[in-house]
Amino acid sequence: MQETTLTRGNLEETQEAYQKHIMATYARFPVVFERGEGPYLWSTDGRRYLDFLAGIAVNAVGHCHPRVVEAIQHQAARLIHVSNLYLISQQAELAQTLCRLSGMEKAFFANSGAEANEAAIKIARKFGRSIRDDKTALVGAEGSFHGRTLGALSLTGQEKYQKPYEPLVPNCSIVPWNNIGALEAAVSDRTCAIVLEPVQGEGGVRPADPEYLQAARDLADRYDALLIFDEVQTGCGRTGTFFAFQGYGVTPDILTVAKAMGGGFPIGGCLARGRAAEVFQPGDHGTTYGGGPLACAAALAALEVIEQEGLADNARKMGRLLEEGLRSLNPPCGVREVRGKGLMLAMVLEQPVARDVLNAAFEEGLLINAIGTDVLRFLPPLIIGEDHISECLELLKKAFARIGA
């Protein structure tokens, strides 16, 4: 029997179609959004939500920033896709911009952060094997998250994501986070790369100690290995500098970026310098869509907004205000810690009620995220001002009151 076409935007019909035809990879909230502007989203029933999750750090310039929208519209009307068998001017301009902002030398573009990390892993393996056949070991950290493709998953130090898909890519070891001794014990002359996030996002918003990143740099140099920083979530102004590594003063050999880079349009990038930048040769790696004209036009516009509107500075200033505000809430369930950098913050509760607070916040019109049972994660657009922070804190206060926690 032929199904009737659903009424676009209708919540009940959309939920029914999801149950029938969409694989259940997410526990989704019962809402359909139809419009976004700045830090706000509107659902199809006309309700407004303050978005302090920003598509998990994607919408750094807010929803539908006019300059990003204009760039997409302009490019879509001229050329949407062309193969990487040909030169793409927007791709070259984006690589030039990212190299200027990061100090890296060359770029490979993909469609996501996971794909960017896959490229980084392949560079590391080929780099290592160019030195000796058994120099293929990769070292990652507990609590990390690098994506859901098999290579990136093999370095994601969280059993819940890895276990169902074992056996994973061999020669990947995971060591305790922020533990210099464990890192020293794991790295050897068989190591081709150390892979770290300067601030772990999915792992609970855990900043690296400066000494830890410096130790990783020193170990990579000592054993002729590459240092890879995954800045998929921390990059493009999120932590108060354009890239988080710049705030630490520790420079990687490879830097991966995505999320905020496209202003909401999917794109990822693997940036490299020195010998790492020369590893890939024609035929070593590729992508059908990565670095296409439309994605690169969107990314150029988003990066221009972040740079020209000083959003990294704003992230640093507003991050301090949000952090102070979260500390001052003092809900009955107790707050063990508020941590993070810039506008990448976590509120660690003393009781396992994060999921309840998350749901209550949604009911109050505030979008945030829960990690595990006791951590609330805040990743607002970098364009927010003091009024938005006050509104967030007021809604969060109501959420705590709603569940009596």
Side-chain angles (χ1 to χ4, degrees):
M1 180 183 296
Q2 186 174 1
E3 289 184 278
T4 56
T5 303
L6 68 80
T7 306
R8 191 171 295 174
N10 181 285
L11 176 61
E12 290 75 22
E13 291 182 26
T14 303
Q15 284 179 308
E16 185 180 344
Y18 261 77
Q19 287 172 358
K20 280 186 177 177
H21 300 300
I22 300 288
M23 294 185 188
T25 53
Y26 286 87
R28 301 174 198 266
F29 283 90
V31 65
V32 178
F33 293 115
E34 64 174 357
R35 184 166 69 88
E37 182 179 338
Y40 294 103
L41 283 167
W42 283 264
S43 59
T44 49
D45 61 1
R47 188 167 184 207
R48 190 181 79 165
Y49 293 79
L50 179 62
D51 187 3
F52 264 44
L53 181 58
I56 313 182
V58 167
N59 301 104
V61 298
H63 291 281
C64 300
H65 192 288
R67 289 164 71 178
V68 176
V69 171
E70 182 183 2
I72 292 172
Q73 289 175 333
H74 176 77
Q75 186 58 47
R78 294 176 63 84
L79 182 65
I80 292 176
H81 174 76
V82 66
S83 168
N84 274 305
L85 293 172
Y86 311 106
L87 299 175
I88 300 171
S89 182
Q90 296 84 353
Q91 186 180 120
E93 186 181 350
L94 180 59
Q96 192 175 48
T97 299
L98 285 167
C99 288
R100 173 177 60 79
L101 291 168
S102 66
M104 297 288 123
E105 295 168 7
K106 290 189 177 180
F108 170 83
F109 291 110
N111 306 291
S112 66
E115 289 176 74
N117 284 327
E118 290 291 331
I121 291 167
K122 289 178 76 172
I123 290 173
R125 280 278 169 91
K126 190 181 177 200
F127 169 82
R129 288 176 62 87
S130 73
I131 297 171
R132 47 186 281 186
D133 281 345
D134 63 349
K135 192 174 177 61
T136 59
L138 293 145
V139 179
E142 286 179 1
S144 62
F145 185 87
H146 299 293
R148 296 176 187 271
T149 52
L150 208 55
L153 190 64
S154 301
L155 284 165
T156 291
Q158 299 190 56
E159 187 180 1
K160 65 181 179 182
Y161 294 123
Q162 290 187 329
K163 194 69 178 173
Y165 306 103
E166 293 177 342
L168 301 174
V169 172
N171 255 358
C172 294
S173 59
I174 303 295
V175 297
W177 174 239
N178 260 341
N179 185 322
I180 294 175
L183 191 62
E184 287 174 336
V187 177
S188 71
D189 55 9
R190 295 178 61 188
T191 302
C192 64
I194 303 167
V195 185
L196 300 171
E197 298 158 278
V199 182
Q200 290 188 338
E202 177 69 22
V205 189
R206 300 174 187 275
D209 294 336
E211 300 79 10
Y212 183 68
L213 294 189
Q214 186 58 58
R217 177 71 272 172
D218 294 343
L219 285 167
D221 292 341
R222 186 188 310 166
Y223 291 102
D224 202 12
L226 300 177
L227 179 61
I228 300 172
F229 282 170
D230 176 345
E231 292 228 29
V232 167
Q233 190 166 139
T234 56
C236 303
R238 172 63 55 186
T239 64
T241 51
F242 210 94
F243 292 101
F245 82 83
Q246 293 161 333
Y248 281 96
V250 177
T251 305
D253 303 293
I254 297 177
L255 176 70
T256 57
V257 293
K259 289 190 179 288
M261 183 167 73
F265 202 93
I267 185 170
C270 174
L271 313 177
R273 68 185 179 101
R275 289 180 294 168
E278 305 301 329
V279 169
F280 276 163
Q281 298 299 316
D284 282 345
H285 196 48
T287 168
T288 297
Y289 295 107
L294 191 57
C296 289
L300 282 166
L303 293 177
E304 190 175 277
V305 170
I306 293 169
E307 194 175 14
Q308 292 183 359
E309 296 187 8
L311 296 189
D313 288 341
N314 194 56
R316 193 167 54 250
K317 293 171 187 169
M318 292 302 113
R320 279 197 293 266
L321 283 179
L322 180 57
E323 185 175 347
E324 289 169 9
L326 292 174
R327 289 185 197 283
S328 71
L329 278 183
N330 197 26
C333 65
V335 176
R336 187 180 307 138
E337 182 184 11
V338 176
R339 66 189 178 214
K341 282 184 177 293
L343 282 172
M344 183 177 180
L345 294 172
M347 185 182 203
V348 185
L349 307 175
E350 291 186 348
Q351 296 177 24
V353 294
R355 179 62 59 175
D356 296 329
V357 178
L358 172 71
N359 292 332
F362 175 78
E363 293 299 324
E364 294 294 340
L366 173 65
L367 304 180
I368 53 175
N369 182 228
I371 303 171
T373 60
D374 60 351
V375 178
L376 297 174
R377 178 165 55 163
F378 300 83
L379 295 164
L382 307 186
I383 58 167
I384 61 165
E386 294 182 26
D387 290 349
H388 301 121
I389 290 175
S390 297
E391 185 180 356
C392 166
L393 295 173
E394 192 58 35
L395 292 171
L396 194 58
K397 193 184 300 181
K398 290 179 180 177
F400 280 117
R402 181 184 276 262
I403 62 168

